[in-house]
């Protein structure tokens, strides 16, 4: 590599850790904004757009190979206006151009590389490019030369290509008006069957390597099988998958938390970056399974301990991610040799630990070892032994050079963390988790909101997308369910209204970007689930719950309109919309609504409501005063007689008492 030292570029003034990482590249980077595109128009140059995030391994590789290279920088600075974007800071920008990449190449990922006209329209897109041609793939230098030549000699073709791409992704994003669709319940059932058809009965999970946890897919299946026995095919697959992930190297057995995904079928070798949102969603999935089976409480507590210990900001909020690399080597921070283990634990305990956690002289990852329990689960004395020695290993490991931590405070990831904490606090009867959820939503409302609405990033002026609003409403609703503090329901109702006002489109559609967003070539519609559930699907869940908690028919009506606006997408590719399918199951089920009154015995009645009841909402009617707390249970617009006996309430909830007036 022809690397050169360079003074700082325009990114030096940005707050994003990812942009800061590129602030000393020799590339003359611009941040996303009008200045870059006005310069492109004035100098009559195409725009080279590079999108990534701070803990992205291949983003680091492309920087080292190309963006620190004098030859690449020379070509970019001469023939292009180069723009860097942090996808976590500007998910709306990432969304539009990822659609362009996927529509032209059939795949996507990061780093995302896109060539634009000066009016922000994409005409060519890809992901990682090596500096030089390699293995049949064009190198970046070759690509830059070709694009530059075509810009000078064949610009009309590039501009026509840009128009075609933009037109295609507008249609794919929901720009057309779909016809009505019936049979949503059967489609949800078919989706569950298709997902189960990909179940890996040997190693757990779905499909082949690489394997992603995709907790919201598991949560969809749990809703589909909510009333089935624990040994049913769905619950067996879910429990096996959660057990396999917890046994594998995907889980950090020494320090807690889970990595991004597994590179193999057996969950042994992860991509070692840790994302806050992944761990939040995993807490939710493990918690819901615990509510049904009583299993996985230690895993839930371990993840929350990791998040609160290593990802929390003292002044409030949670950091975004931890990198996969340390000292330039992926996974180095997390791996062990037998000698390293024995140096900490001594020969006897070290040998025992190595046997239990698959630490060998041969190694299971690049001559090193990822601790795992794939070979055999812990039991009896081994569990007690591990609880004693793991903290010792953690203490020594903390002296190593750690991976980079991305210390952005993102609205989306923090809202998902609040959801997880509220759900875990309620299920495990851990008031400290519930208090952390309240602390988190309070911080977000006070620090990531301005006169226009929610902000995407703490200490930034970037406004949130639909995902941010929907996740925040979800967090407020879950916090209300765990506390019955009416403040959080009032905030959820108000913010839900602002969400609809900000993102609504024709016929019930919700756009990904706000109506006043002016720096993108189009307003996207992101209904597909990805690493996290789509904002559309989360909004749909929230609408159903707001309808039941407030009695306002507006939310039911908007839910119907939203589903119909997406009907072509849902029917055409249901497996990409699993969390929306879960909302359709909720709607088809009708739900169970419980209203409690204050009074003696309130907490006893609340305890009777514990368990896996994914379609149940609980409300506290503070306007009614009775000597003894009373529960009013309604199913599908039919209400039972009020009860104030916890055992009777539990029987009602679990279905052993028939409906009556």
């Amino acid at each position: 590599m022809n690397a050169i030292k360079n003074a700082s570029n325009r990114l030096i003034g940005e707050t994003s850790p990812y942009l800061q990482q590129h602030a000393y590249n020799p590339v003359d980077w611009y941040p996303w904004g009008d200045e870059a595109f006005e310069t492109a128009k004035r100098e009559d140059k195409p725009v080279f757009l590079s999108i990534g995030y701070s803990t992205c391994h291949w983003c680091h590789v492309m920087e080292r190979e190309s963006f620190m290279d004098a030859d690449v920088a020379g070509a970019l600075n001469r023939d292009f206006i180069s723009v860097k974007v942090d996808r976590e800071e500007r998910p709306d920008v990432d969304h539009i151009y990822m659609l362009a990449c996927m529509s032209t190449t059939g795949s996507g990922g990061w780093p995302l590389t896109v060539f634009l006209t000066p009016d922000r329209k994409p005409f060519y897109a890809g992901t990682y490019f090596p500096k030089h041609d390699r293995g049949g793939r064009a190198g970046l230098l070759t690509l830059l030369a070709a694009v530059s030549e075509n810009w000078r000699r064949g610009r009309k073709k590039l501009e026509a290509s840009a128009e075609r791409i933009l037109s295609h992704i507008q249609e794919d994003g929901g720009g057309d008006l779909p016809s009505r669709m019936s049979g949503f319940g059967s489609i949800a059932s078919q989706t569950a069957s298709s997902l189960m058809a990909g179940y890996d009965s040997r190693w757990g999970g779905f499909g082949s390597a690489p394997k992603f946890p995709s907790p919201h897919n598991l949560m969809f299946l749990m809703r589909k099988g909510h009333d089935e026995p624990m040994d049913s095919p769905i619950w067996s697959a879910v429990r096996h998958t959660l057990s396999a992930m917890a046994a594998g190297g995907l889980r950090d057995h020494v320090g807690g938390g889970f990595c991004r995904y597994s590179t193999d079928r057996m969950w042994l070798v992860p991509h070692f970056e840790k994302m806050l949102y992944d761990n939040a969603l995993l807490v939710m999935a493990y918690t819901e399974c615990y509510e049904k089976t009583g299993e996985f409480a230690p895993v839930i507590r371990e993840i929350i301990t990791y998040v609160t210990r290593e990802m929390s900001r003292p002044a409030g909020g949670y950091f975004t991610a931890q990198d996969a690399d340390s000292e330039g080597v992926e996974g180095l921070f997390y791996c062990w040799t037998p000698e390293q283990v024995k140096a900490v634990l001594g020969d006897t305990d070290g040998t025992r630990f190595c046997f239990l956690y698959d630490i060998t002289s041969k190694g299971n990852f690049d001559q090193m070892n990822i601790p795992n329990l794939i070979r055999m689960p812990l039991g009896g004395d081994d569990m007690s032994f591990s609880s004693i020695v793991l903290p010792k290993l953690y203490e020594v490991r903390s002296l190593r050079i750690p991976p980079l931590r991305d210390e952005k405070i993102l609205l989306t990831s923090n809202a998902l963390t609040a959801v997880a904490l509220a759900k875990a606090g309620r299920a495990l009867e851990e008031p400290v988790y519930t208090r952390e959820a309240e602390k988190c939503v309070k911080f977000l409302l006070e620090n990531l909101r301005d006169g226009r609405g929610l902000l995407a990033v703490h200490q930034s002026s970037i406004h949130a997308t639909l995902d941010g609003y929907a996740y925040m409403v979800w967090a407020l609703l879950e916090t209300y369910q765990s506390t019955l503090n009416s403040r959080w329901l009032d905030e959820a109702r108000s913010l839900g209204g602002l969400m609809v006002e900000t993102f609504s489109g024709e016929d019930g559609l919700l756009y990904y970007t706000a109506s006043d967003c002016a720096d993108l070539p189009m307003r996207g519609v992101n209904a597909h689930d990805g690493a996290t559930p789509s904002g559309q699907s989360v909004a749909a869940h929230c609408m159903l719950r707001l309808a039941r908690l407030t009695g306002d028919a507006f939310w039911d009506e908007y839910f119907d309109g939203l589903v119909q606006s997406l009907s072509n997408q849902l029917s055409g590719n249901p497996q990409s919309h699993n969390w929306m399918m879960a909302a359709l199951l909720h709607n088809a089920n009708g739900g169970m609504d419980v209203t409690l009154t204050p009074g003696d015995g309130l907490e006893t009645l609340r305890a009777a409501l514990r368990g896996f009841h994914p379609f149940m909402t609980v409300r506290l009617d503070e306007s009614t005063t009775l000597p003894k707390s009373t529960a009013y249970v309604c199913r599908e617009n039919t209400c039972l007689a009020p009860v104030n006996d916890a055992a009777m309430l539990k029987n009602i909830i679990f279905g052993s008492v028939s409906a009556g007036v």
Side-chain angles (χ1 to χ4, degrees):
M1 183 180 74
N2 184 19
I4 59 174
K5 293 184 178 180
N6 196 61
S8 62
N9 55 46
R10 291 175 182 82
L11 302 183
I12 195 65
E14 298 298 307
T15 58
S16 158
Y18 177 63
L19 299 187
Q20 283 282 328
Q21 288 170 8
H22 292 266
Y24 289 93
N25 293 168
V27 178
D28 187 16
W29 292 114
Y30 286 76
W32 181 269
D34 291 340
E35 181 186 3
F37 294 96
E38 289 169 359
T39 302
K41 289 178 182 177
R42 186 173 62 253
E43 298 185 7
D44 194 25
K45 292 179 179 178
V47 173
F48 175 83
L49 173 64
S50 177
I51 303 177
Y53 57 102
S54 67
T55 58
C56 166
H57 174 72
W58 285 101
C59 299
H60 298 328
V61 172
M62 194 164 176
E63 182 196 18
R64 289 194 298 267
E65 288 181 347
S66 295
F67 300 144
M68 288 298 294
D69 180 81
D71 295 334
V72 173
L76 284 170
N77 296 344
R78 181 184 65 245
D79 298 328
F80 299 87
I81 299 301
S82 301
V83 176
K84 256 291 172 194
V85 169
D86 181 340
R87 68 169 291 261
E88 294 170 334
E89 195 173 63
R90 287 301 305 262
D92 51 345
V93 175
D94 178 65
H95 170 63
I96 294 297
Y97 297 111
M98 185 61 74
L99 284 176
C101 183
M102 296 185 71
S103 72
T104 55
T105 69
S107 62
W110 299 275
L112 177 61
T113 304
V114 191
F115 292 89
L116 314 177
T117 65
D119 54 358
R120 311 183 196 220
K121 297 178 180 179
F123 60 82
Y124 186 85
T127 54
Y128 162 78
F129 291 94
K131 176 186 174 182
H132 296 292
D133 299 356
R134 184 193 304 163
R137 175 193 285 265
L140 187 57
L141 282 173
T142 300
L143 183 60
L144 294 175
V147 172
S148 178
E149 177 71 11
N150 283 317
W151 183 256
R152 288 194 301 270
R153 299 181 183 276
R155 186 178 311 184
K156 287 186 178 179
K157 289 184 178 179
L158 297 183
E159 291 173 340
S161 175
E163 294 296 339
R164 285 194 301 272
I165 292 171
L166 204 59
S167 175
H168 183 266
I169 62 178
Q170 282 175 323
E171 292 175 2
D172 184 61
D176 58 339
L177 297 178
S179 60
R180 292 187 65 84
M181 181 182 74
S182 60
F184 282 130
S186 64
I187 287 181
S189 296
Q190 292 166 16
T191 303
S193 297
S194 296
L195 188 58
M196 286 292 294
Y199 166 56
D200 184 342
S201 59
R202 181 176 182 186
W203 298 110
F206 300 87
S208 57
K211 280 185 176 175
F212 290 79
S214 300
H216 43 295
N217 290 346
L218 298 175
M219 292 160 69
F220 160 64
L221 286 176
M222 286 189 273
R223 279 155 179 75
K224 182 65 180 69
H226 74 281
D227 56 354
E228 296 177 8
M230 287 191 290
D231 59 354
S232 72
I234 280 181
W235 281 102
S236 296
V238 168
R239 295 166 69 196
H240 179 204
T241 297
L242 291 172
S243 295
M245 292 192 301
L250 186 77
R251 175 185 177 188
D252 179 0
H253 291 268
V254 173
F258 281 68
C259 299
R260 182 73 186 86
Y261 63 87
S262 175
T263 63
D264 57 74
R265 274 185 66 194
M266 58 195 293
W267 305 102
L268 173 60
V269 180
H271 179 44
F272 288 89
E273 64 180 324
K274 290 182 179 179
M275 312 299 291
L276 179 64
Y277 61 74
D278 282 323
N279 282 281
L281 287 165
L282 282 163
V283 168
M284 297 181 212
Y286 278 107
T287 297
E288 292 192 353
C289 193
Y290 167 81
E291 288 177 317
K292 176 78 172 185
T293 68
E295 300 167 337
F296 302 117
V299 179
I300 299 166
R301 296 180 193 278
E302 182 186 290
I303 300 173
I304 293 176
T305 297
Y306 156 73
V307 168
T308 55
R309 180 183 61 209
E310 297 192 25
M311 302 297 280
S312 63
R313 176 175 173 267
Y318 294 90
F319 299 129
T320 297
Q322 289 176 312
D323 205 342
D325 301 2
S326 59
E327 303 181 65
V329 180
E330 182 174 7
L332 179 64
F333 181 78
Y334 300 101
C335 292
W336 298 82
T337 65
E339 293 74 25
Q340 289 172 327
V341 171
K342 291 174 184 178
V344 178
L345 303 181
D347 284 345
T348 301
D349 285 351
T351 299
R352 182 179 181 184
F353 182 87
C354 289
F355 173 74
L356 293 173
Y357 282 87
D358 189 28
I359 311 295
T360 67
S361 57
K362 180 181 178 182
N364 57 34
F365 174 68
D366 289 348
Q367 288 78 55
M368 299 183 293
N369 293 273
I370 304 166
N372 71 89
L373 297 169
I374 294 172
R375 190 164 52 95
M376 60 179 182
L378 293 179
D381 292 342
D382 289 335
M383 294 182 68
S384 300
F385 169 74
S386 292
S387 69
I388 295 169
V389 299
L390 284 171
K392 296 178 182 178
L393 292 170
Y394 174 80
E395 184 178 354
V396 170
R397 195 184 75 173
S398 67
L399 301 176
R400 298 176 179 177
I401 297 174
L404 170 76
R405 183 172 64 186
D406 185 335
E407 296 191 350
K408 289 195 306 294
I409 308 294
L410 295 176
L411 173 65
T412 48
S413 296
N414 274 259
L416 290 174
T417 301
V419 172
L421 289 166
K423 289 173 75 73
R426 191 163 69 245
L428 297 178
E429 302 177 62
E430 282 285 2
V432 66
Y433 297 166
T434 303
R435 288 195 296 270
E436 284 295 318
E438 286 195 285
K439 179 182 173 184
C440 186
V441 295
K442 186 172 183 288
F443 171 83
L444 296 175
L445 291 173
E446 292 178 352
N447 294 277
L448 279 83
R449 185 160 60 170
D450 66 7
R452 281 178 52 197
L454 295 177
L455 299 172
V457 188
H458 183 230
Q459 296 179 332
S460 167
S461 59
I462 300 169
H463 284 89
T465 62
L466 173 64
D467 287 1
Y469 278 77
Y471 294 178
M472 188 64 200
V473 176
W474 188 11
L476 290 163
L477 289 173
E478 289 293 348
T479 305
Y480 174 70
Q481 292 294 279
S482 293
T483 64
L484 298 184
N485 181 339
S486 60
R487 174 188 174 182
W488 308 125
L489 177 57
D490 292 341
E491 292 278 11
R493 179 166 39 195
S494 174
L495 191 60
L498 182 59
M499 174 181 71
V500 169
E501 177 185 331
T502 304
F503 299 98
S504 64
E506 58 276 1
D507 292 338
L509 199 65
L510 287 174
Y511 283 101
Y512 189 61
T513 52
S515 56
D516 59 356
C517 181
D519 66 349
L520 290 169
M522 59 172 279
R523 293 178 74 192
V525 178
N526 183 22
H528 297 78
D529 294 331
T532 59
S534 75
Q536 302 267 4
S537 62
V538 173
H541 281 267
C542 292
M543 289 171 185
L544 290 173
R545 297 175 83 180
L546 282 168
R548 286 150 180 76
L549 288 167
T550 68
D552 188 342
F554 166 83
W555 297 109
D556 275 326
E557 293 167 2
Y558 208 101
F559 171 86
D560 290 341
L562 175 61
V563 171
Q564 291 301 329
S565 75
L566 297 171
S567 59
N568 283 352
Q569 292 192 44
L570 298 180
S571 59
N573 190 12
Q575 276 200 334
S576 294
H577 304 83
N578 283 338
W579 198 236
M580 183 65 83
M581 293 296 145
L584 297 177
L585 289 174
H586 186 165
N587 189 55
N589 178 274
M592 180 185 297
D593 308 313
V594 180
T595 299
L596 301 173
T597 64
D600 292 342
L602 174 60
E603 292 307 314
T604 304
L605 292 181
R606 291 189 69 190
L609 300 176
R610 293 196 183 97
F612 184 58
H613 309 298
F615 309 131
M616 183 171 72
T617 57
V618 181
R619 184 177 73 92
L620 182 65
D621 182 2
E622 298 179 74
S623 67
T624 302
T625 303
L626 298 170
K628 195 168 185 179
S629 181
T630 301
Y632 301 82
V633 181
C634 299
R635 288 196 189 108
E636 299 185 69
N637 302 316
T638 300
C639 296
L640 306 177
V643 296
N644 49 34
D645 178 79
M648 178 66 75
L649 178 59
K650 194 165 188 175
N651 287 337
I652 292 171
I653 297 302
F654 284 93
S656 61
V657 175
S658 60
V661 178

